[in-house]
Amino acid sequence: MVIGALSLDQVTIGAFFGFLLSLPIALFLVFWLSAVKKRSAVILGGFAGTLIAFLVILAWAGTLIRSQPIEGANGASAFFGGVLLCAAAGLVGGIVVDLLVARRNSRDYRRQLSHE
């Protein structure tokens, strides 16, 4: 068992290009759905979510932990898995950061009552 022996095989390349394709999707959706004023924090949370999902794919199916990819894994499955999992994890990461920022600054997001 070799830890950290990342090789450029089909799974790694497929997962990387899936990660690259999922970045604009996840970051656009996170920016568009965000309700906070500090959207850069939400974008950073979305990027962190996609990066964590990319590392999970490499650890699970690729060569991040093991010396050989798992049996049956190929570049196409890693690509489509990377696109879907990274985009979903980026959206979840951005939403979690959005909720944390809104909770911390809750007075900025309360409705103002208008007295006539």
Side-chain angles (χ1 to χ4, degrees), residues 17-30:
F17 283 110
F19 167 72
L20 284 182
L21 189 62
S22 71
L23 268 178
I25 296 168
L27 297 182
F28 170 74
L29 285 173
V30 165

Side-chain angles (χ1 to χ4, degrees), residues 32-102:
W32 185 56
L33 294 172
S34 175
V36 297
K37 293 178 185 175
K38 184 98 174 166
R39 291 194 176 167
S40 60
V42 176
I43 295 295
L44 188 63
F47 180 76
T50 56
L51 185 64
I52 289 170
F54 171 67
L55 292 175
V56 165
I57 289 173
L58 285 183
W60 178 43
T63 58
L64 189 63
I65 296 175
R66 292 181 296 275
S67 61
Q68 294 290 331
I70 62 171
E71 186 177 331
N74 58 19
S77 62
F79 171 75
F80 288 111
V83 169
L84 295 174
L85 184 67
C86 290
L91 188 60
V92 167
I95 288 172
V96 166
V97 171
D98 185 58
L99 292 173
L100 290 174
V101 169

